[in-house]
Amino acid sequence: MRRIFAVLCACAVTVQAADPARPLRGYSNAQSATEREWEQKLRAIPTTENVKEYMRRLSARPHHVGSPYDKDNADWLVSKLKGWGLDAKIETFDVLFPTPKERVVELVEPTQFKARLDEPVISIDPTTDQKSEQLPTYHAYAHDGEVTAPLVYVNYGIPADYEQLERMGVSVQGKVVIARYGASWRGIKPKVAAEHGATACLVYSDPKDDGYFRDDIYPNGPARPPDGAQRGSVMDMPVYPGDPLTPGVGATADAKRLPLDQAVTITKIPVLPISYADATPLLKALGGQVVPEAWRGALPFTYHVGPGPAKVHMKLMSNWDRKPLYDVIVRIPGAMYPDEWIIRGNHHDAWVNGADDPVSGASPEMEELRAFSELMKQGWKPKRTIIYAFWDGEEPGLLGSTEWVETHAEELQRHAAVYINTDANGRGYLNIQGSHTLENFVNEVAKDIEDPETRLTVWKRLRLRALANPASNNRAETRTRADLRIGALGSGSDYTAFLDHVGIASLNMGFGGEGTGGGQYHSIYDDFYYYSHFVDPTFMYGRALAQTVGTAVMRLSDAEVLPLQFTDFSETVRTYLAELKKLATDQRTEIEERNRNIEDGVYQATNDPERPLLPPSKQPVPPFLNFAPLENAVDLLSRAAEKYESSLTRVGEHASPAVNAKLIESERRLLNDSGLPNRPWFKHTLYAPGFYTGYGVKTIPGAREAIEQKRWAEFDTQLMRAAKALENEADLIESAANQLTAGAPK
Ligand SMILES: [Zn+2]
């Protein structure tokens, strides 16, 4: 059945010709027609069968950093790619990668219970029994330690939860805290716990977030089973990702390394992930106040905050060894502009077998390369150089991509035009985040890709979903705006160093939104059996990803003028400015209001003595802030963007190479060399992962976090830096516009 279905789809792809009247941005009409023909051929090449077979091979055994199968996969990738006639090689780095040698979590009072800390074999799922090769459940880069202390439940363990605890009169000083997964990236939980004086941290998967509350549990359904736990990194990546011992430089064999005790991205306290089977006796033994409603999970008992009487003994000891990384790098030299690079990557390492994360993205990436190699045999030559990467060490801390970017920073700054990233891929809708100079470009690509389930273009399906969503407050905008908005990039995959450290315009893409909700994320159950039963059983979305990203890479590498666009970009920055102003006003109003309520005795009057809450403490009223420098800069940017747009429409493809050099530089201009406060590695003035969200993005992060974290003294400097970057950007765009006009035939 599947085979027949696949053939039908292949027909549909060729029948569904894109609108030939619509010339591609950065191409002449003639070039545009030729390019469209090549792109059609490209999209006809990837097959679901290949995507599936690559997945079967790459996820056959556990393949984390330092494991035999990690190296085996890298070697296999190279030989496969060479077999297609491609120039592929391995680039090696040498990084700190701790693995646990002792893990203990036990309840010692009021009753005794020893946590199992083990994911059981499921007999129907053939790779779950590869015990000797599996990493145990743990958090990489967690501090060693041994603690016995009363337990406190801290909900998601984000800063707002500690404010609530304070009002409940509960301190975590000297305690072990237990947080549930969700609401922030996991590394934030031990970080905030340590800031509040906790001595150890447990993070468990509540069934409300990815277990039986969501769906049938594995292997009957995709949701997390009782003993399933989520491995993962807790490295303080919002400070800097990559090898903790070599911040800012590549972790090559002879690199200068920090001593271990100076590596600030290692957690301050021990932390371990546990399953809800292991968490249940601990949570059940908690006394103290009943938790607020929003803190309740889906376990069948009343949740209490503690502290105690539950007392926990926890011990964690790791091997702090260095391990090799094997990045697989493929280079296809450009025929006309070899010094302009289009880069595309997906990681190949996993926590365990990793069929979903990352192989569901890496397998389509292979199909893209196979398609390019076939087209080159038919005479296609990319104008620009194309570099493909299969990164190692993404899971522990974006190691392979960060070390590669740091090693090659100088040449990347000169040559790299765009980086496109993918990671886990599933069924449903195309999710896109990225640099807003690429928003228009990626919208155009999405209009040429067929959605396998609906046969609509993936763009149209996305747009219709936006209209269907009753929660959406911008339906009117969706109906009228030419391009669908793309999200800004925070962190959580290998684009981080490209965008935030060296300023390369970046995109992250993947299908998802239907099906599993990621219930086996970072467990031994994320494997071929799980993926082929519950995530994308036909592999049609794997093929769709290869078609999408392959088209994007090809179009970027062949364009006469790089298809960046600045009007969407400047309009988006304007919305960020409006958000910032609103944030400042709302915060001021809220603090004033709360202070007044405190004076008026509101909290005493509404206090329930059975469930007492302390009034919050009065806070200084925030000062009025001056946004004028940024407002002026955004205006300059908008005018320059309009000018570029009208120049491009008038002169089209008649560009001088100097225009592309400026376009390549445009994302670099958004960096500030000093970086963000307390984290100079992050240099982008518009996008950064939040210091207290981890993966979640903060736009105009310097100024935004100065407001959020109430560090008023920093605000003016940070706002000025963003304004200065945008002014420089406006200058560059304006000169690119002038050059376009000057280069045009009279
Ligand atoms: Zn991943």
Side-chain angles (χ1 to χ4, degrees):
M1 276 305 283
R2 188 180 299 130
R3 200 168 276 273
I4 294 165
F5 198 33
V7 170
L8 284 175
C9 287
C11 297
V13 169
T14 32
V15 170
Q16 183 232 3
D19 173 9
R22 186 161 52 84
L24 298 171
R25 170 176 284 261
Y27 288 78
S28 68
N29 282 342
Q31 288 166 338
S32 187
T34 314
E35 173 70 12
R36 281 197 182 285
E37 281 170 29
W38 282 118
E39 290 181 4
Q40 293 263 5
K41 287 182 190 166
L42 170 93
R43 289 194 289 273
I45 295 173
T47 73
T48 54
E49 205 49 40
N50 281 342
V51 173
K52 180 180 178 181
E53 289 315 309
Y54 305 149
M55 178 180 287
R56 199 194 297 277
R57 148 76 216 192
L58 288 166
S59 68
R61 309 205 73 85
H63 53 107
H64 51 271
V65 169
S67 67
Y69 206 68
D70 177 70
K71 170 74 161 55
D72 199 88
N73 270 344
D75 289 338
W76 178 78
L77 281 165
V78 168
S79 72
K80 197 86 187 158
L81 299 167
K82 281 187 168 166
W84 296 336
L86 296 165
D87 168 18
K89 59 164 191 179
I90 289 179
E91 224 176 303
T92 309
F93 297 99
D94 178 15
V95 295
L96 180 72
F97 179 59
T99 51
K101 52 182 184 197
E102 202 180 346
R103 300 167 306 142
V104 178
V105 175
E106 53 191 350
L107 186 67
V108 292
E109 284 176 24
T111 52
Q112 305 221 325
F113 164 78
K114 194 166 164 82
R116 176 172 170 168
L117 307 179
D118 181 53
E119 297 179 306
V121 172
I122 290 180
S123 56
I124 198 173
D125 178 342
T127 60
T128 56
D129 69 353
Q130 298 165 338
K131 283 282 162 194
S132 66
E133 292 174 63
Q134 293 166 356
L135 274 176
T137 54
Y138 83 117
H139 284 139
Y141 306 101
H143 206 282
D144 283 348
E146 181 167 16
V147 173
T148 302
L151 187 68
V152 178
Y153 174 63
V154 296
N155 191 30
Y156 290 114
I158 57 175
D161 294 327
Y162 288 89
E163 283 169 25
Q164 177 68 25
L165 283 172
E166 200 180 312
R167 294 203 54 203
M168 295 168 82
V170 175
S171 161
V172 302
Q173 189 72 40
K175 310 288 193 300
V176 176
V177 301
I178 181 164
R180 54 175 165 154
Y181 265 109
S184 78
W185 172 64
R186 78 181 75 73
I188 299 303
K189 299 165 197 281
K191 169 164 150 173
V192 179
E195 285 176 0
H196 287 82
T199 52
C201 180
L202 296 168
V203 186
Y204 82 103
S205 300
D206 196 285
K208 187 161 189 179
D209 297 305
D210 63 6
Y212 56 69
F213 189 80
R214 298 273 157 209
D215 212 324
D216 288 322
I217 59 164
Y218 197 63
N220 297 322
R224 200 180 290 276
D227 286 295
Q230 187 192 127
R231 289 160 192 74
S233 178
V234 286
M235 179 197 285
D236 198 357
M237 281 187 267
V239 175
Y240 63 87
D243 179 20
L245 303 183
T246 60
V249 298
T252 49
D254 54 354
K256 200 165 165 275
R257 287 178 164 76
L258 294 175
L260 188 57
D261 61 2
Q262 283 177 33
V264 297
T265 55
I266 293 166
T267 64
K268 306 290 180 279
I269 55 175
V271 50
L272 276 169
I274 60 175
S275 67
Y276 74 78
D278 280 341
T280 294
L282 276 53
L283 290 168
K284 240 179 160 168
L286 279 173
Q289 299 172 58
V290 171
V291 301
E293 189 171 342
W295 288 35
R296 293 173 199 162
L299 291 169
F301 51 81
T302 307
Y303 288 54
H304 291 79
V305 172
K311 192 184 250 190
V312 167
H313 169 229
M314 177 174 163
K315 184 174 184 189
L316 173 68
M317 294 292 168
S318 292
N319 293 303
W320 290 89
D321 293 342
R322 276 165 36 192
K323 294 273 161 50
L325 291 182
Y326 305 101
D327 285 347
V328 176
I329 307 291
V330 183
R331 185 178 287 258
I332 304 174
M336 277 178 74
Y337 310 119
D339 290 336
E340 298 178 9
W341 300 351
I342 308 300
I343 310 173
R344 185 265 188 271
N346 192 105
H347 66 104
H348 71 78
D349 71 298
W351 275 119
V352 196
N353 297 71
D356 182 26
D357 182 6
V359 177
S360 63
S363 299
E365 187 184 19
M366 289 182 67
E367 275 299 79
E368 293 159 42
L369 280 170
R370 188 177 68 83
F372 288 147
S373 76
E374 297 225 341
L375 295 181
M376 285 191 285
K377 285 169 200 151
Q378 295 173 32
W380 173 70
K381 286 186 198 138
K383 287 199 175 80
R384 296 189 172 77
T385 293
I386 296 175
I387 297 173
Y388 264 60
F390 296 83
W391 307 116
D392 199 356
E394 190 269 356
E395 292 297 358
L398 316 179
L399 303 172
S401 56
T402 302
E403 299 313 320
W404 191 82
V405 167
E406 289 174 345
T407 302
H408 300 284
E410 237 174 80
E411 33 177 352
L412 285 170
Q413 274 164 342
R414 264 180 287 130
H415 303 303
V418 173
Y419 174 69
I420 301 181
N421 190 71
T422 60
D423 202 324
N425 188 61
R427 282 189 308 116
Y429 303 86
L430 184 63
N431 295 311
I432 312 163
Q433 304 97 34
S435 300
H436 290 84
T437 53
L438 292 166
E439 183 172 84
N440 172 261
F441 167 74
V442 76
N443 267 266
E444 294 301 304
V445 171
K447 287 174 186 168
D448 289 336
I449 310 299
E450 189 194 59
D451 173 68
E453 284 169 359
T454 61
R455 306 291 166 82
L456 301 168
T457 70
V458 303
W459 185 85
K460 191 155 198 188
R461 195 177 184 209
L462 259 183
R463 182 172 177 275
L464 293 174
R465 179 181 66 169
L467 293 174
N469 180 4
S472 167
N473 51 10
N474 47 15
R475 279 194 212 184
E477 179 190 276
T478 305
R479 287 195 195 280
T480 53
R481 195 175 189 264
D483 291 327
L484 297 170
R485 290 190 185 277
I486 63 171
L489 282 169
S491 187
S493 196
D494 290 307
Y495 49 79
T496 309
F498 287 93
L499 180 65
D500 296 335
H501 192 59
V502 291
I504 296 164
S506 297
L507 287 171
N508 185 55
M509 292 193 252
F511 289 92
E514 290 179 327
T516 73
Q520 307 312 334
Y521 181 60
H522 292 182
S523 78
I524 65 166
Y525 312 116
D526 174 7
D527 58 16
F528 186 78
Y529 183 90
Y530 162 69
Y531 194 89
S532 57
H533 282 80
F534 296 111
V535 186
D536 180 18
T538 62
F539 291 85
M540 288 197 294
Y541 279 93
R543 187 182 58 185
L545 187 70
Q547 291 168 335
T548 308
V549 182
T551 301
V553 170
M554 182 178 242
R555 196 173 292 180
L556 285 165
S557 63
D558 287 343
E560 198 57 44
V561 182
L562 280 165
L564 302 190
Q565 190 247 34
F566 300 99
T567 45
D568 279 2
F569 169 64
S570 63
E571 188 256 351
T572 303
V573 177
R574 197 176 284 281
T575 65
Y576 296 157
L577 169 63
E579 278 172 26
L580 272 192
K581 290 167 78 174
K582 182 171 184 306
L583 175 70
T585 312
D586 288 355
Q587 188 189 49
R588 197 184 152 85
T589 314
E590 195 189 309
I591 291 177
E592 280 179 330
E593 189 69 24
R594 193 190 308 143
N595 286 352
R596 206 170 306 143
N597 283 351
I598 294 167
E599 282 168 22
D600 291 348
V602 167
Y603 294 96
Q604 282 87 350
T606 57
N607 189 40
D608 174 357
E610 297 291 320
R611 297 208 171 164
L613 277 184
L614 301 168
S617 41
K618 272 177 88 168
Q619 285 182 20
V621 176
F624 284 104
L625 300 172
N626 177 20
F627 288 92
L630 192 58
E631 289 173 312
N632 289 324
V634 173
D635 259 13
L636 283 177
L637 183 70
S638 300
R639 283 199 291 275
E642 295 291 350
K643 183 167 176 184
Y644 180 85
E645 205 54 20
S646 65
S647 306
L648 187 69
T649 330
R650 268 189 294 134
V651 305
E653 77 286 7
H654 301 289
S656 70
V659 173
N660 284 322
K662 291 205 155 76
L663 295 172
I664 288 175
E665 198 194 330
S666 65
E667 197 79 17
R668 299 324 171 252
R669 291 258 172 142
L670 301 172
L671 301 187
N672 182 287
D673 253 357
S674 317
L676 293 174
N678 305 319
R679 40 184 186 143
W681 189 92
F682 283 92
K683 298 189 189 301
H684 209 293
T685 58
L686 294 185
Y687 315 117
F691 194 75
Y692 286 111
T693 54
Y695 283 174
V697 66
K698 296 289 174 183
T699 53
I700 319 186
R704 187 182 294 263
E705 291 194 326
I707 300 173
E708 287 178 348
Q709 296 170 23
K710 306 184 176 110
R711 298 193 313 254
W712 313 116
E714 267 171 25
F715 177 82
D716 286 341
T717 313
Q718 291 303 319
L719 191 88
M720 201 55 103
R721 282 181 185 173
K724 199 79 221 153
L726 293 180
E727 281 171 21
N728 288 337
E729 179 81 341
D731 280 353
L732 183 81
I733 297 170
E734 177 133 9
S735 77
N738 291 339
Q739 231 152 11
L740 269 180
T741 321
K746 298 288 179 292

